[in-house]
């Protein structure tokens, strides 16, 4: 009876530490002997139910150390967040705050681990402040380009115009040398475009180092013409053309068509060489010598009245006199040939103006040969031309510059439009640069604008560093001429973007000088321009304040009316 009334024996649990002999009640949280936290996986919220299983078996089932080690101790982490990740914050002036996680070992008494077992955890490391340009490296092409350009070129507070001009000329020489070294072989499809890019840089160099303006008929025109003029080939006695010896001695049939083509090529090349030098009188004399009376009459009409009278008198004596048939003649073969440059020049002599450029492509249709009103781009698609035909733009432009006529700048602009249509952008921009009277250089939203950033166009033009450099150098070249505008209003916004770019890469000193140069350009431009608007001034002032706060150096105050 007493045994029935006694309380049942309570189940006791051993300590998880094998070295400890303590036994604990079901609700105990710590070992009564060593104080170690008991296993968290076993619930002690309720009194365990008595079972008929022996105490030893129940104890083994309740606590299995190997089973506890196999169970996951942390929540699932498919993204490996526990490993940590770097944290980077960008600041003004090209500064970067960087923290990379580090792995450390800690000793823990957490349940499921043996006493003194180390575990590896990800912990924050020290925060480092560095510069973006140091992370990218000086070998990066963009960083190297930014560090080498001597900007700001105009209104730079660092030096005067003379010292800046020396820096500009040194930079132009270096850039031209780099492009010349990288020029592909002549049989490469990109050869002509690479050659045009080099020519574009050389034109900028000529505009910078030569006094005068385009179209002055003096030093500047002569320098540009000498630059564009193709190298002269060895001249032969073109007038004394003879039949090849093998055709005479061997009794072989003579190919009169081949002889005609060969002679025509030599005679027209000789005539063109006189015009390339601007020697119209010499071209007239040579045309009379070769009995090319049509050429002589056209050319003499653009020299003076006395020369034209002399040509007409010689023509009458040669062709209409009694002794006309007795004198040996040079025009025994018909002199013809596909001379694009001469076609354009003769059309200019006739007063065709802008429409004379339609003679540049021989495959032009009738509607295109009529030309379009100047300032209105042609709506019809231009005919496709070969690389060989398009490469004649250089000699064509040289002929026009060497033989100035009324409205020839319109023809040069129209020639640039043709080249631009066929993807020869650098060649087209050269044409626009040497015809500023008829080629509008302004913002992309200006009506009939021909170029904005030199050497690039489209929505991504602002990211082309070379295009920006060329335009800023052109602005400097214009500022050195007498009577020229000191700055290009539309370019000031691009300068501000470039200054932000410099600041983001850590070139804070150069960025602040750009800020000062833009402010000085705006103050010096008194005519007013839609590109010098209030938003530009506000952004410039905000940028200037950031530069002052970061560098501690004050710049001129930017007024906002």
């Amino acid at each position: 009876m007493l045994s029935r009334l006694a309380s049942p024996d309570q189940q006791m649990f051993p300590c998880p530490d094998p070295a400890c002999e303590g036994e604990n009640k079901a609700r105990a949280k710590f070992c009564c002997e060593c104080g170690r936290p008991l296993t968290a996986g076993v619930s002690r919220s309720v009194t365990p139910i008595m079972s008929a299983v022996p105490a030893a078996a129940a104890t083994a089932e309740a606590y299995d150390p190997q089973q506890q080690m196999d169970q996951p101790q942390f929540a699932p982490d498919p993204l490996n967040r526990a490993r940590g990740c770097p944290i980077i914050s960008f600041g003004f002036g090209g500064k970067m705050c960087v923290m990379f996680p580090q792995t450390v070992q800690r000793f823990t008494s957490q349940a499921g681990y043996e006493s003194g077992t180390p575990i590896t955890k990800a912990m924050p490391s020290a925060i480092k402040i560095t510069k973006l340009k140091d992370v990218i490296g000086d070998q990066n092409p963009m960083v190297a380009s930014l560090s080498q350009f001597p900007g700001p070129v105009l209104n730079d507070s660092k030096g005067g115009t003379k010292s800046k001009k020396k820096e500009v000329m040194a930079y132009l020489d270096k850039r031209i040398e780099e492009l010349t070294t990288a020029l592909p072989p002549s049989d490469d499809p990109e050869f002509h475009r690479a050659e045009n890019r080099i020519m574009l840089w050389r034109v900028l160099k000529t505009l910078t180092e030569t006094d005068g303006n385009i179209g002055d008929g003096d030093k500047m025109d002569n320098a540009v013409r000498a630059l564009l003029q193709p190298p002269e080939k060895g001249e032969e006695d073109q007038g004394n053309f003879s039949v090849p010896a093998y055709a005479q001695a061997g009794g072989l049939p003579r190919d009169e068509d081949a002889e005609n083509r060969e002679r025509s090529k030599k005679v027209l090349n000789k005539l063109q060489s006189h015009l390339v030098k601007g020697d119209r009188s010499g071209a007239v004399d040579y045309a009379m010598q070769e009995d090319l009376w049509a050429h002589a009459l056209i050319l003499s009409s653009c020299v003076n009245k006395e020369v034209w009278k002399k040509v007409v008198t010689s023509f009458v004596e040669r062709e209409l006199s009694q002794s006309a048939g007795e004198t040996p003649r040079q025009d025994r073969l018909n002199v013809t040939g596909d001379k694009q440059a001469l076609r354009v020049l003769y059309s200019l002599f006739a007063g065709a103006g802008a429409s004379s450029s339609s003679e540049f492509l021989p495959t032009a249709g009738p509607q295109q040969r009529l030309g379009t009103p100047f300032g209105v781009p042609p709506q019809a698609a231009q005919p496709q031309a070969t690389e060989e035909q398009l490469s004649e733009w250089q000699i064509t432009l040289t002929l026009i510059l060497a033989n100035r006529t009324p409205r020839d700048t319109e023809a040069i602009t129209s020639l640039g439009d043709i080249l631009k249509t066929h993807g020869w952008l650098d060649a087209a921009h050269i044409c626009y640069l040497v015809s500023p009277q008829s080629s509008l250089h302004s913002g992309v939203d200006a009506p009939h604008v021909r170029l904005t950033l030199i050497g690039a166009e489209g929505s991504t033009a602002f990211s082309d560093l070379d295009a920006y450099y060329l335009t800023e150098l052109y602005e400097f070249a214009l500022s050195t001429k007498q009577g020229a505008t000191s700055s290009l209003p539309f370019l000031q916004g691009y300068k501000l973007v470039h200054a932000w770019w410099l600041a983001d890469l850590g070139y804070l000193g150069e960025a602040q000088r750009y800020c000062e140069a833009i402010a000085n350009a705006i103050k010096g431009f008194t005519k007013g321009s839609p590109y010098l608007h209030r938003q530009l001034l506000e952004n410039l002032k905000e940028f200037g304040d950031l530069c002052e706060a970061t560098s501690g150096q004050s710049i001129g105050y930017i007024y906002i009316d």
Side-chain angles (χ1 to χ4, degrees), residues 20 55 69 75 95 153 174 198 202 211 240 275 278 303 333 361 397 407 424 455:
C20 181
M69 294 295 293
K95 295 179 180 178
V153 180
K174 182 179 179 181
I198 296 174
R202 287 176 175 169
D211 297 331
N240 299 328
L275 294 173
V303 179
L333 297 176
L361 294 181
L397 181 57
R407 299 177 59 195
W424 286 42

Side-chain angles (χ1 to χ4, degrees), residues 92 151-152 154-157 468 492 495-500 502 507-523 536-548 554-558:
F92 184 78
L154 187 63
N155 297 323
D156 189 6
S157 59
Y468 171 78
Q492 307 312 310
K495 286 184 180 180
L496 182 57
V497 173
H498 187 70
W500 273 101
L502 288 170
Y507 294 98
L508 190 58
E510 291 81 354
Q512 187 167 355
R513 285 161 47 204
Y514 263 105
C515 185
E516 296 174 351
I518 297 170
N520 292 331
I522 294 176
K523 294 175 183 177
L536 174 64
L537 298 178
E538 292 177 352
N539 291 337
L540 180 61
K541 188 176 187 306
E542 178 185 0
F543 179 71
D545 293 342
L546 288 173
C547 289
E548 287 185 358
S554 177
I555 62 176
Y557 185 76
I558 303 172

